[in-house]
Amino acid sequence: MATTAEHMTELAMKLRLSKLASEKLAQRAAESGQDVAAVASDLIEQAVTRPTVDEALASFRKQVAESGMSDEQLDDFFRGEIEAHRKERKAKSA
């Protein structure tokens, strides 16, 4: 989703980065033709607006809890699904 300038807030801050991270940030900036601040801003924007793993899995975890399945049953279910997928892929490649 593109963000327009009117929806942006400018923050002045110092970042403490390792030498390696600083070098990689500079490399990304050079490769993209942007300045380091723009690349850092994009990375921070992505990091803080992307759902956390817990947020992404919340609905799934709720469904599992409501299903009453034990950890062992859930494990068996997924092992069965993985095996079915492998068989399907093998059949397609044969």
Side-chain angles (χ1 to χ4, degrees):
M1 175 178 115
T3 306
T4 62
E6 67 189 39
H7 293 107
M8 303 297 282
T9 300
E10 191 166 311
L11 301 173
M13 65 177 66
K14 279 186 180 181
L15 300 175
R16 286 188 223 42
L17 302 173
S18 67
K19 184 175 180 177
L20 177 61
S22 179
E23 290 169 354
K24 287 188 172 275
L25 184 61
Q27 180 181 3
R28 283 193 188 186
E31 289 171 354
S32 68
Q34 297 179 316
D35 65 21
V36 172
V39 174
S41 293
D42 289 345
L43 291 169
I44 293 169
E45 179 79 22
Q46 291 171 23
V48 299
T49 59
R50 181 181 301 136
T52 65
V53 172
D54 283 337
E55 290 168 340
L57 292 176
S59 177
F60 171 74
R61 289 178 174 150
K62 182 180 179 206
Q63 290 175 3
V64 169
E66 290 172 353
S67 76
M69 291 177 81
S70 69
D71 288 347
E72 184 176 300
Q73 290 170 319
L74 188 60
D75 190 47
D76 290 344
F77 170 77
F78 280 114
R79 287 183 193 278
E81 290 298 309
I82 290 168
E83 186 60 33
H85 178 71
R86 287 180 180 151
K87 286 180 182 178
E88 184 179 318
R89 283 182 51 191
K90 188 175 181 180
K92 285 182 181 179
S93 66

